[in-house]
Amino acid sequence: MHPSLKHLAVAGVVAATLAACGGSGSSNNFVPFVPPPAASNPPAPAPAPAPAVPGTVDVKLIAFNDLHGNLEPPKLSINAPAKGGGTVPVPAGGAAYMASAIASLKEKNPNNAVLSAGDMIGASPLVSALFLDESTIEAVNAMKIDFNAVGNHEFDKGQTELLRMKNGGCAKNTALEPCRVNKNFPGANFGFLAANTVKGDGNTLFPATGMKTFTKDGATVKVAFIGMTLKGTPNIVTPAGVAGLSFKDEADTANALIPQLKAQGADAIVVVVHEGGTTTVGYNDKSCAGLSGDILPILNKLDTAVDVVISGHTHRSYVCDYGKTNPAKPFLLTSAGQYGTLLTDINITIDTRTRKVTAKAADNVIVQGEAYTSGATTVALTDQYPAFGKNQEVAALIGQYLAIAAPLVQRVVGSLTATATRTQTASKESVLGNLIADAQLAATSPAGKGAAQIAFMNPGGVRADLAPAGDGSVTYGQIFAVQPFGNSLVVKTMTGAQIKAVLEQQFNSGSNTVASPKVLLPSASLSYSYSLSAPAGSRIGNMALNGTAMADATSYRVTMNSFLATGGDNFTVFNQGTDALGGDQDVDALEAYIKANSPLAPPATGRITVLP
């Protein structure tokens, strides 16, 4: 009882007693008032008032993208602002250091979620690719992340193998043997999200969304995550890898999911999408100057209920207040570059009364771990930025896989007289791309191997430069890094007209355009010219096989990898080829060519002539 009410009650008892006893005024009837005995226990103190529910809850999101199985430090640096002006190179990356960096960020706020914006696996270095990326899944398991929005490279080996990456097991879905190290591969202990990847039955391949609930002093907030890849995925992976799947528009997909997420109590909406852009500014420059790319049309269509867009795919890093670009779309847009060199530290504040995000900010954090030497350049650790120690669990896991891979990685396959690079010339050729095309032609030109006359290599399949050691030697690990996809060679019969049509598709097929052409790398046997100013369908000319003009009606035997053979990179005319004959693995063909021609002088460019 409230103290004041208690006093009033006692006073009432006293008054009533006196009135009852004094009605006649006779002393004989007087009954003296005796106060009640004191209570043996004092009255309990009033309970303390309940603590006020906080008006806001802060949530930390930790994001990365395009890890691509880079478990070892990738020998890359981030040019970051130096304290005295200018920039300082900061050595970055390595899964063991990345795990420690994630743990360090988590310690700053227990209300956190860790997210990957795709291409966690695929196009990976040998220590991951040789083991079907099982090593990467296990390493990320140890990082205790929440969700990975699948990217295009997750589909490199097909949806059945991708499902194994999530669910575990040792089913053999590829040419490589699964479970060579861990006989009980567990699969991912984090969620895969694929909101716009739809199967024939109308269901998504993986869940479309995830939700996390956070509490603070009695207050509860919910953050919803929509995860997806770019709708153009079928154009940039092996068609067999996405057979039976359709990839829906990114913004339409997200917008359709928002009402049900709000109905489930979501206070904040985060889109995690494997699509991105580029900027013209440096590390952690928040101005986002020069923002461009395929992420912009998505942002401009997204519902303004979205608070944060975590992106990837372009391997660029940025933190953008997109509201400065489009005031109608005030999203926070982020990307963490590539290969685990950066983590994006995103902080949002949610009002517990309005159930809205009232503040949001982000920084890209450099995963500085260890110094490295690349060629003649050494990049040392710097005290101008935090350095992270090794997570011993992840380091031990990587060491186990490296030990088994080491004999293969270090094996010398031959020698080069100079570095073969991926750098494109004015004609869009590259020395290394031409070298690979020559190797593939050599592997398939014998009669029993397909009697090939021409070979083509897709530029996106050339993943690293090939730099010999001081003595000119090249190792298997290096050539595997150049071609990590495990494609096989295919020889098909095509007419001159069909070959010309394929070459026309370099400039006019899907995402291959005059503004952004995808030029195939030809073997030395083929020469031709192109003119970007010519009308579509008439850009290719002067096609010659070993110096002899090619005829539209003549048939030729053409080599391509299995990715191109089924229409990859929008080169659908390759599907018209006939009399297909399968061949060796692409990396085996490159090894055999270097070995047979050592010391090999990298080829010249100039197979393609650009006309006005």
Side-chain angles (χ1 to χ4, degrees):
M1 181 180 294
H2 193 281
S4 61
L5 296 179
K6 183 175 181 180
H7 295 155
L8 289 172
V10 172
V13 171
V14 173
T17 303
L18 292 174
C21 298
S24 66
S26 170
S27 61
N28 292 333
N29 295 326
F30 177 72
V31 179
F33 170 71
V34 179
S40 58
N41 294 312
V53 174
T56 60
V57 175
D58 294 329
V59 176
K60 181 180 291 293
L61 309 176
I62 304 164
F64 63 94
N65 52 274
D66 297 277
L67 179 61
H68 285 290
N70 277 264
L71 301 181
E72 296 182 276
K75 294 190 174 183
L76 295 174
S77 61
I78 304 298
N79 285 321
K83 292 179 180 177
T87 61
V88 58
V90 185
Y97 302 111
M98 182 180 167
S100 293
I102 288 173
S104 176
L105 289 172
K106 283 184 175 183
E107 288 175 358
K108 296 180 179 180
N109 187 347
N111 287 331
N112 59 69
V114 187
L115 310 152
S116 162
D119 280 8
M120 177 184 292
I121 58 175
S124 309
L126 189 145
V127 71
S128 186
L130 188 64
F131 304 104
L132 293 167
D133 289 314
E134 294 167 358
S135 50
T136 294
I137 295 296
E138 292 192 67
V140 177
N141 279 348
M143 297 177 193
K144 298 179 173 60
I145 80 165
D146 294 283
F147 301 108
N148 174 48
V150 296
N152 55 286
H153 278 290
E154 266 88 354
F155 293 92
D156 281 345
K157 296 179 178 66
Q159 61 175 296
T160 303
E161 179 66 0
L162 178 54
L163 288 166
R164 187 179 77 88
M165 290 292 99
K166 176 64 185 81
N167 300 323
C170 297
K172 189 174 188 297
N173 303 314
T174 74
L176 293 176
E177 288 296 327
C179 301
R180 293 171 64 185
V181 176
N182 186 347
K183 302 304 180 185
N184 297 296
F185 173 61
N189 63 11
F190 48 91
F192 279 20
L193 301 180
N196 65 333
T197 305
V198 180
K199 300 184 293 183
D201 62 5
N203 294 314
T204 55
L205 182 64
F206 295 108
T209 64
M211 185 93 76
K212 283 200 78 173
T213 300
F214 304 101
T215 60
K216 177 185 176 183
D217 299 334
T220 297
V221 297
K222 292 183 178 182
V223 179
F225 304 97
I226 302 171
M228 53 191 158
T229 190
L230 67 157
K231 65 182 178 183
T233 290
N235 297 328
I236 54 176
V237 303
T238 303
V242 294
L245 300 174
S246 59
F247 293 79
K248 306 302 184 182
D249 182 84
E250 304 94 340
D252 290 347
T253 297
N255 292 345
L257 290 166
I258 288 171
Q260 66 190 60
L261 292 173
K262 288 292 188 181
Q264 294 168 19
D267 302 305
I269 304 287
V270 178
V271 169
V272 188
V273 58
H274 190 71
E275 181 60 284
T278 63
T279 67
T280 56
V281 293
Y283 164 72
N284 223 26
D285 184 318
K286 308 295 179 59
S287 70
C288 225
L291 178 64
S292 62
D294 291 334
I295 193 68
L296 269 65
I298 299 172
L299 297 173
N300 292 333
K301 285 176 61 180
L302 273 180
D303 192 308
T304 54
V306 173
D307 298 290
V308 179
V309 178
I310 297 170
S311 64
H313 188 54
T314 58
H315 292 211
R316 303 298 182 92
S317 64
Y318 43 79
V319 173
C320 301
D321 175 0
Y322 191 65
K324 294 179 180 178
T325 300
N326 181 351
K329 304 291 183 177
F331 310 126
L332 177 61
L333 171 69
T334 71
S335 177
Q338 62 179 350
Y339 304 160
T341 56
L342 297 166
L343 294 172
T344 308
D345 178 16
I346 305 166
N347 296 284
I348 63 174
T349 300
I350 300 173
D351 189 299
T352 58
R353 293 174 290 270
T354 64
R355 318 308 297 185
K356 293 183 180 297
V357 173
T358 57
K360 48 195 173 184
D363 286 286
N364 274 324
V365 176
I366 302 172
V367 180
Q368 181 177 208
E370 65 183 54
Y372 70 87
T373 298
S374 179
T377 302
T378 296
V379 179
L381 292 172
T382 173
D383 60 4
Q384 297 194 36
Y385 289 86
F388 301 93
K390 277 187 176 181
N391 176 291
Q392 293 305 312
E393 178 185 357
V394 175
L397 173 75
I398 297 169
Q400 183 182 16
Y401 278 93
L402 283 171
I404 293 174
L408 186 57
V409 173
Q410 298 165 3
R411 179 169 56 83
V412 173
V413 300
S415 62
L416 296 181
T417 62
T419 297
T421 74
R422 298 173 294 163
T423 304
Q424 289 187 337
T425 65
S427 66
K428 303 293 185 182
E429 293 174 73
S430 72
V431 170
L432 185 51
N434 286 1
L435 190 158
I436 291 170
D438 291 345
Q440 295 184 355
L441 179 61
T444 54
S445 59
K449 292 282 192 175
Q453 299 162 282
I454 299 167
F456 289 111
M457 179 61 192
N458 57 304
V462 186
R463 304 301 292 190
D465 293 344
L466 191 54
D471 63 356
S473 61
V474 173
T475 66
Y476 185 82
Q478 288 178 285
I479 65 170
F480 196 98
V482 170
Q483 292 188 280
F485 296 104
N487 288 319
S488 58
L489 303 184
V490 179
V491 184
K492 293 186 179 185
T493 297
M494 301 181 70
T495 65
Q498 289 171 331
I499 295 170
K500 182 179 179 181
V502 162
L503 296 176
E504 291 283 352
Q505 287 189 309
Q506 297 175 129
F507 318 104
N508 187 28
S509 180
S511 58
N512 305 345
T513 64
V514 169
S516 182
K518 194 165 288 173
V519 175
L520 296 169
L521 294 318
S523 58
S525 57
L526 177 69
S527 62
Y528 70 93
S529 64
Y530 68 77
S531 171
L532 296 179
S533 64
S538 303
R539 297 187 174 109
I540 301 299
N542 304 310
M543 288 172 43
L545 176 64
N546 296 316
T548 301
M550 297 172 65
D552 285 353
T554 301
S555 293
Y556 304 91
R557 292 290 280 169
V558 182
T559 299
M560 64 219 70
N561 59 38
S562 50
F563 169 76
L564 288 174
T566 50
D569 272 349
N570 306 301
F571 291 105
T572 56
V573 176
F574 278 128
N575 287 318
Q576 298 175 16
T578 58
D579 301 322
L581 179 65
D584 299 332
Q585 295 282 300
D586 53 6
V587 70
D588 294 339
L590 182 57
E591 176 184 4
Y593 186 72
I594 294 173
K595 180 178 180 180
N597 293 281
S598 291
L600 175 65
T605 53
R607 299 170 184 183
I608 304 172
T609 301
V610 181
L611 300 177

